[in-house]
Amino acid sequence: MLETVTLMKNAEVRDALPEPARKGDAEKRGRKASKEVRQLQLIEATIDSLAKRGYAETTMADVADGAGLSRGIVNFHFESKEKLLVATLQYMYDEYSAHWRAALQKAGDDPARQLQALVWADFDRSICNKRKLAAWCAFWGEAKSRPTYQALSSSRDAYYQQVFIDLCATLKQSGDYAYEPQVMALALSAMLEGLWLRLMMGTQDTTRETALQAANAFLAAAFPKHYD
């Protein structure tokens, strides 16, 4: 009841505002939405350029042309190539993180299903495609010499890796395996990264399907009591 009264009062206040004030609010909302849309357009165009040209050859002009926007728009939103690339890397990490977290939650409480869901999520077409893999590879090539990239990736990678360690520890206890959880988690991560690299390089015998089969074979070999 209180909520209804509050909404009615807010509506009355809004209706009592002069027409220019109401239009001004709408324009502010429109500008905000437009800013978010423009930034996303530029980030997606940056991913395209990284995939097509690589890191060093990507320019602000390439991004503007790819997004179908003026070069002044790129400078207005990101000021420099470095800020644009940092924003792009942040976006890719956010997307990847949201993807694996959703897969983990959907898997329920069974640790074996959770680990399998994380592995399978790495080969979902929305995440694992040539365009995004090439962009990731471009950033990986620069990470060693760019502290900003290292700082952005290290904290996220550490948390993600800890999830693998915890799941491996749980499976070790329930399956009475002999491995060390941290070592097994590292091997699992290296296997997934290696398959991504082979996919990015376009190795003939590696597709998303065969990569997923290889990942499943790794799970079956490493955790025979949990996976067929």
Side-chain angles (χ1 to χ4, degrees):
M1 181 65 180
L2 180 59
E3 183 180 359
T4 302
V5 172
T6 302
L7 291 173
M8 291 176 63
K9 287 183 177 180
N10 289 340
E12 290 172 359
V13 171
R14 185 177 63 250
D15 292 341
L17 288 173
E19 186 69 19
R22 292 202 296 273
K23 287 184 178 180
D25 289 342
E27 289 174 358
K28 287 180 181 179
R29 289 194 298 272
R31 284 197 297 272
K32 183 178 180 181
S34 178
K35 179 180 179 181
E36 293 170 352
V37 169
R38 289 286 180 266
Q39 289 179 344
L40 183 57
Q41 282 181 283
L42 294 170
I43 286 172
E44 291 289 352
T46 303
I47 295 173
D48 288 338
S49 184
L50 288 170
K52 182 179 179 180
R53 302 177 180 86
Y55 188 95
E57 299 301 320
T58 290
T59 66
M60 298 280 273
D62 294 327
V63 172
D65 293 343
L69 299 171
S70 71
R71 298 176 187 182
I73 291 292
V74 188
N75 292 321
F76 173 77
H77 285 290
F78 293 105
E79 298 179 2
S80 68
K81 174 182 174 179
E82 180 62 20
K83 289 184 178 181
L84 173 61
L85 290 168
V86 169
T88 301
L89 182 59
Q90 176 81 55
Y91 171 81
M92 292 180 68
Y93 265 116
D94 287 346
E95 180 186 50
Y96 183 76
S97 178
H99 180 72
W100 72 255
R101 287 171 188 268
L104 186 66
Q105 184 177 16
K106 188 176 180 181
D109 298 327
D110 181 3
R113 287 178 60 86
Q114 289 177 335
L115 185 60
Q116 188 177 52
L118 289 178
V119 170
W120 287 7
D122 253 19
F123 302 100
D124 186 276
R125 191 180 299 276
S126 65
I127 294 295
C128 183
N129 55 65
K130 289 184 178 180
R131 171 177 172 267
K132 288 182 180 176
L133 291 178
W136 277 118
C137 193
F139 280 119
W140 290 341
E142 295 293 322
K144 186 175 181 180
S145 61
R146 297 183 182 274
T148 302
Y149 295 179
Q150 293 179 18
L152 181 60
S153 62
S154 61
S155 61
R156 291 168 178 264
D157 289 345
Y159 181 78
Y160 183 55
Q161 189 66 14
Q162 189 60 51
V163 173
F164 276 112
I165 294 172
D166 292 343
L167 289 173
C168 288
T170 302
L171 293 180
K172 175 183 178 177
Q173 184 176 10
S174 64
D176 195 26
Y177 298 124
Y179 62 73
E180 288 299 323
Q182 190 166 358
V183 174
M184 179 58 73
L186 179 60
L188 181 57
S189 296
M191 179 270 298
L192 293 173
E193 290 169 2
L195 289 172
W196 265 31
L197 183 60
R198 290 180 70 88
L199 285 168
M200 188 279 298
M201 293 175 63
T203 308
Q204 288 186 353
D205 62 345
T206 308
T207 64
R208 282 194 319 109
E209 291 73 19
T210 59
L212 181 55
Q213 289 174 6
N216 285 333
F218 181 96
L219 291 178
F223 312 95
K225 296 179 183 178
H226 292 89
Y227 305 104
D228 294 331

